[in-house]
Amino acid sequence: MRVDEAQALDLAAEVADDCDGEGAVELGVDLRCLLESALPEELIRTAWLAATRRSFDPVDFGMDMRGWLRRLADRYPARSRKKARGYGPESSPSSMGEEELCEAVVLEIRTSASQLRHAMAKSGFAAPLPESVPEALEGIVRESDGELGFRLFLRVLKSYGVPVAKDQYDRLMVLDTKLRYPGPLVYDGLNVQWLPVDTTRRDATGDFGFSELTSWFTGQWHDHTARETVQRAAANDDTAETPGSAAALLLEDALRLLESSLSSGTITTLWLAASDRGFSIDRMGIDARTWLQTIAEVCRERLQEVAPSYTPVKPPLQSELTGPVLREIQDLTPLLADRTVSPGWHEIPGMTAAEALKQVVTTVDPDLGYRLLLRLLHVLALPLTEEQYARHRTLGEQFGYGEFHVNELELLVEHV
């Protein structure tokens, strides 16, 4: 879509109004970076035309590129940011310096250069030549500002639907984290070449499956029906996961429980404990296996929508970890019993949360049993020693969990 000068100024005003006016600050900083650089006029124009798909070319309205930037700069002069960028000498250890950022961004531009040229050529982008766009972006990174160059690079990738391999996407998301961006800035609209859904590949950074679903039902008030809540959880793929992964992992857990020898009472006990009675299926007269069937049905619907070729395949159990998980449950059994016998907490006679967990570990899946144990630690805020926490860290690594899955337990550690 082509726009005229007035429309272009209106669009700039919309950007400036973003985040209660903080957008004007960011726009002013970007303009200053470009205007104060020694970048050639045509290089800046090339990057601008590529990022905007030639929707507005200042030359068509009697301005050169720097003239257009100065006109914007008169409206949005450079001011100090309210929040510091996520890199630089004053940043946290997880951040990065400007030189490191520039090298990382240049590497990604070069990785995508050939596909970028191909995508632009197919789109009919004729002037300036597609061959010059990667070089223009690299010039902005090196001669103006690495972070601005990164954002322009992302915009060009999205504008032309340039394919981004999963390993490159992971690197872009690392930069996203270090720059403290809101996640969608990188992944929203990016043409990621996702790998097939595979429940053995643990890409999520936190909890998943049946144990994660229980967290969606905690609390006394819910804005959605139970089925709608399951739908939202099944669609809540981690930003590092192939779309459909959350549903596939939840379906795998639900099928394991459905096909197990566990009684409905045992499954009910697990659900009530892990969800902190946020959705009391027992009081509502819902049989636990009927509830699992509903969960499985929702997951299949989600998978049919985003990964229709996926066929559930149960991966082998990590039975070698059964013993270590049982030892952790046994170690916490007294605390579990103490915290879960309050009146009304559950009404399943002869069944405790610890006993239910042991049955899952020994007859269903040690991985699922361990994730439910971790969930109970959060729900009941059970205190941990530093030694216990270290063992949980080791178990989490052995199960292949994401970096935040077990690390969140650190808040429960009692330091002496």
Side-chain angles (χ1 to χ4, degrees):
M1 179 184 70
R2 301 298 295 272
V3 300
D4 59 26
E5 184 180 351
Q7 290 171 315
L9 290 172
D10 287 341
L11 291 171
E14 290 182 20
V15 172
D17 286 340
D18 196 30
C19 298
D20 296 323
E22 187 67 10
V25 176
E26 295 294 336
L27 182 53
V29 171
D30 286 348
L31 292 167
R32 180 186 63 186
C33 287
L34 292 171
L35 286 170
E36 294 180 356
S37 73
L39 290 167
E41 168 82 13
E42 279 307 304
L43 186 149
I44 300 176
R45 179 168 173 260
T46 295
W48 167 269
L49 294 178
T52 62
R53 289 186 65 96
R54 286 189 62 91
S55 60
F56 175 73
D57 187 349
V59 172
D60 294 339
F61 297 89
M63 292 179 287
D64 59 18
M65 193 64 214
R66 273 194 158 79
W68 166 242
L69 294 179
R70 278 191 292 270
R71 181 164 186 185
L72 290 175
D74 289 340
R75 293 175 174 237
Y76 311 108
R79 291 179 287 159
S80 298
R81 289 182 171 96
K82 294 179 182 178
K83 295 182 180 180
R85 282 175 171 167
Y87 64 98
E90 303 299 326
S91 300
S92 67
S94 63
S95 61
M96 63 200 312
E98 175 71 10
E99 183 176 351
E100 181 187 359
L101 172 66
C102 289
E103 292 304 317
V105 176
V106 166
L107 172 63
E108 301 308 329
I109 293 173
R110 292 180 177 178
T111 298
S112 296
S114 61
Q115 288 184 308
L116 174 58
R117 294 187 182 103
H118 177 70
M120 296 183 70
K122 283 180 60 178
S123 72
F125 191 98
L129 293 176
E131 287 76 6
S132 65
V133 173
E135 289 75 10
L137 293 170
E138 186 173 331
I140 289 176
V141 170
R142 292 196 181 281
E143 303 297 332
S144 178
D145 181 70
E147 194 260 349
L148 170 57
F150 181 49
R151 285 186 278 115
L152 285 172
F153 170 57
L154 291 172
R155 173 48 47 203
V156 172
L157 290 180
K158 296 175 184 181
S159 294
Y160 297 90
V162 178
V164 175
K166 177 61 164 61
D167 59 342
Q168 183 181 21
Y169 170 72
D170 289 338
R171 295 194 302 271
L172 296 177
M173 289 302 292
V174 169
L175 291 174
D176 168 280
T177 299
K178 291 189 174 184
L179 292 169
R180 303 174 193 169
Y181 285 159
L185 191 148
V186 170
Y187 66 73
D188 193 24
L190 203 63
N191 183 19
V192 182
Q193 304 301 286
W194 294 107
L195 300 172
V197 173
D198 181 357
T199 58
T200 64
R201 193 177 59 246
R202 299 289 170 79
D203 291 326
T205 57
D207 198 2
F208 55 89
F210 186 75
S211 51
E212 198 268 341
L213 175 66
T214 63
S215 68
W216 287 73
F217 286 86
T218 57
Q220 299 302 312
W221 301 99
H222 301 284
D223 296 330
H224 303 273
T225 66
R227 188 183 184 89
E228 288 171 343
T229 301
V230 178
Q231 289 172 336
R232 297 177 70 206
N236 191 45
D237 299 301
D238 188 277
T239 57
E241 291 181 312
T242 299
S245 295
L249 289 162
L250 179 53
L251 177 61
E252 180 181 300
D253 283 349
L255 292 178
R256 284 196 190 279
L257 289 170
L258 276 169
E259 297 169 6
S260 73
S261 60
L262 294 182
S263 68
S264 290
T266 299
I267 299 171
T268 298
T269 296
L270 290 167
W271 175 263
L272 296 179
S275 65
D276 200 19
R277 260 203 182 281
F279 179 57
S280 299
I281 57 175
D282 57 332
R283 293 177 179 173
M284 300 179 70
I286 302 174
D287 180 78
R289 290 185 176 277
T290 301
W291 178 228
L292 287 173
Q293 289 166 355
T294 298
I295 293 170
E297 182 181 323
V298 169
C299 291
R300 290 191 179 98
E301 291 172 355
R302 164 67 178 171
L303 287 164
Q304 185 59 39
E305 177 186 352
V306 299
S309 63
Y310 173 73
T311 301
V313 177
K314 293 181 188 175
L317 301 178
Q318 294 175 272
S319 54
E320 71 279 4
L321 296 177
T322 298
V325 174
L326 286 175
R327 284 192 289 273
E328 294 305 325
I329 295 173
Q330 187 62 39
D331 194 33
L332 291 166
T333 294
L335 283 175
L336 284 170
D338 181 58
R339 297 293 180 91
T340 60
V341 296
S342 58
W345 186 80
H346 69 76
E347 300 165 4
I348 308 300
M351 175 61 62
T352 67
E355 291 169 343
L357 286 173
K358 290 176 183 177
Q359 288 190 29
V360 174
V361 172
T362 56
T363 67
V364 184
D365 180 14
D367 177 14
L368 174 56
Y370 183 55
R371 281 185 279 119
L372 286 167
L373 172 62
L374 295 178
R375 176 69 192 145
L376 278 182
L377 293 178
H378 285 290
V379 168
L380 302 173
L382 297 182
L384 296 174
T385 65
E386 293 183 4
E387 182 182 355
Q388 287 174 316
Y389 176 60
R391 293 201 304 267
H392 284 300
R393 288 282 300 272
T394 299
L395 265 175
E397 291 173 0
Q398 291 173 319
F399 277 117
Y401 295 162
E403 60 177 318
F404 301 125
H405 195 154
V406 176
N407 289 6
E408 293 177 348
L409 294 180
E410 189 172 6
L411 297 173
L412 303 175
V413 176
E414 295 185 333
H415 301 281
V416 294

